[in-house]
Amino acid sequence: CPPAAVIGHGMGQPKSLSERPYANHCEIWTGGEGCKWFADRGKGQLPCFANLQDAIFDEYIVAHFLGWIGKSLIFRHAGAAWINSIVFEFVEMSFEHWMPNFAECWWDHIILDVMVCNLCGIILGHMLMSWLKVKEYRWMNVSQYKTPIGKAKRVLSQLTPESWDSFNWHALESPKRLLAVLLVFVCVLIVDFSTFALKYILWVPPRNPLNTYRLIIWCFLGMLSVREFYEYCDNPQVKRLGHHAWLGAMILFTECLVWSKFVRESNEFTAPMPQKVMVSWMLFGLLCSSWCYYHFRIVPARYRTEKRH
């Protein structure tokens, strides 16, 4: 078994976490005369966009793309997934003073992440959801499948939702629905933040398979948990949350406890929040609160007054 495939390889060794900085060189054009758009540096070719080329061939590009395929299957709503992807970029910029890995160039945040990887992942995820929506499920016993591939497909189908209908969250229907959607948003953002926080605090190398296994488990659990939460919010006949939603909430809470404990013991995350970040989030919260008051209080009152006259 190669060392890179061992779960515990390189863990607990701070010197092994030599993560590449992403905000040191943000120049787009780096070439000169005779440069190549996509250069083969092994042959001594000069790239015209060296920094951009390095970012495109980085491992996190694939992670972003595959991650948003999974999240589009969790949200089942293109708008909700798109908004969540944009908000997480602001979360990265807000906490880059704690985790240098969050610091990226402007074109990395806007173009590569939001406009390319996240958007393509969301589109492909919805195409996959459209295919799964018409897929016929055969809920036979595992032993009734004759081939190993058939048995594996049956086991995987057990870990996925029974149906793949798209969600219509109706976030602006009422304050209660808006809070429900915001709760899902916050939980997904915390899962993403915990991915980097656990890796940073526990000294887990970026390429350690433990990171990948955790994300795969969260992808399947997230699909089931959000489905149950959506049914609880949308279906009046559902009176309580399903066990997958409770399980996801407990795992999320436990992960936060783990990195919070080691943050305190290792004296990490002690740098104060930059003032511009605090002011920006306060203004954002004030604008959102003002808009919610206008949408849910002033507009209905005006409508009732006009209807009365």
Side-chain angles (χ1 to χ4, degrees):
C1 184
V6 179
I7 291 180
H9 177 71
M11 292 179 61
Q13 303 174 14
K15 292 183 179 179
S16 67
L17 298 182
S18 55
E19 296 198 64
R20 171 193 158 195
Y22 292 92
N24 289 355
H25 305 285
C26 294
E27 300 84 3
I28 298 180
W29 178 264
T30 59
E33 185 177 355
C35 66
K36 303 291 185 180
W37 279 57
F38 283 96
D40 187 352
R41 296 187 178 182
K43 298 180 180 179
Q45 296 177 348
L46 178 66
C48 297
F49 310 95
N51 299 325
L52 187 60
Q53 181 174 326
D54 291 341
I56 290 175
F57 289 100
D58 187 79
E59 58 194 12
Y60 282 111
I61 289 292
V62 179
H64 269 279
F65 177 69
L66 296 178
W68 282 100
I69 292 178
K71 287 176 189 172
S72 65
L73 297 177
I74 292 174
F75 284 109
R76 302 198 199 179
H77 189 282
W82 178 250
I83 293 173
N84 192 268
S85 72
I86 296 174
V87 173
F88 186 72
E89 297 301 319
F90 285 103
V91 171
E92 285 187 329
M93 290 186 285
S94 300
F95 293 99
E96 63 184 26
H97 62 289
W98 283 354
M99 287 182 281
N101 190 240
F102 275 173
E104 298 176 351
C105 300
W106 67 267
W107 44 264
D108 202 344
H109 278 299
I110 300 174
I111 299 176
L112 288 184
D113 288 351
V114 175
M115 302 299 297
V116 178
C117 297
N118 299 356
L119 180 60
C120 292
I122 292 171
I123 292 174
L124 187 59
H126 274 261
M127 292 173 62
L128 180 61
M129 191 175 67
S130 299
W131 176 77
L132 291 171
K133 194 182 298 184
V134 298
K135 179 181 177 182
E136 181 180 358
Y137 283 91
R138 298 180 180 274
W139 298 101
M140 295 189 299
N141 195 298
V142 176
S143 60
Q144 295 178 339
Y145 289 85
K146 304 301 181 183
T147 63
I149 296 179
K151 294 179 184 293
K153 289 181 177 180
R154 170 64 180 84
V155 172
L156 285 176
S157 66
Q158 185 69 33
L159 302 175
T160 57
E162 182 180 0
S163 64
W164 292 92
D165 300 328
S166 59
F167 294 161
N168 193 345
W169 288 97
H170 299 289
L172 303 181
E173 185 178 272
S174 66
K176 183 179 178 181
R177 293 288 297 205
L178 180 60
L179 290 175
V181 175
L182 290 178
L183 178 60
V184 175
F185 270 43
V186 170
C187 289
V188 173
L189 291 173
I190 293 177
V191 170
D192 290 338
F193 182 85
S194 295
T195 301
F196 294 91
L198 290 169
K199 177 171 65 70
Y200 181 81
I201 296 298
L202 301 180
W203 301 337
V204 182
R207 297 191 178 184
N208 190 283
L210 187 62
N211 297 316
T212 305
Y213 300 154
R214 173 187 173 273
L215 292 175
I216 292 175
I217 292 173
W218 262 119
C219 181
F220 285 105
L221 180 60
M223 286 189 288
L224 298 172
S225 301
V226 174
R227 172 71 188 192
E228 291 178 351
F229 184 75
Y230 178 80
E231 285 294 325
Y232 176 73
C233 296
D234 194 67
N235 191 346
Q237 296 181 353
V238 178
K239 303 300 181 182
R240 61 179 183 177
L241 281 173
H243 56 278
H244 290 104
W246 284 111
L247 177 63
M250 292 300 101
I251 294 176
L252 179 62
F253 181 67
T254 303
E255 286 187 345
C256 292
L257 287 180
V258 170
W259 62 257
S260 299
K261 174 182 182 295
F262 287 100
V263 159
R264 184 180 58 183
E265 294 184 355
S266 60
N267 202 29
E268 292 283 358
F269 296 175
T270 57
M273 186 76 68
Q275 187 175 4
K276 62 180 181 180
V277 174
M278 295 180 61
V279 172
S280 299
W281 281 108
M282 288 174 62
L283 289 176
F284 177 74
L286 180 62
L287 289 174
C288 290
S289 300
S290 301
W291 183 88
C292 289
Y293 181 80
Y294 174 80
H295 180 77
F296 292 116
R297 294 296 298 272
I298 297 179
V299 172
R302 184 182 301 171
Y303 175 76
R304 287 193 298 268
T305 303
E306 293 177 353
K307 188 177 181 179
R308 202 175 295 131
H309 291 290

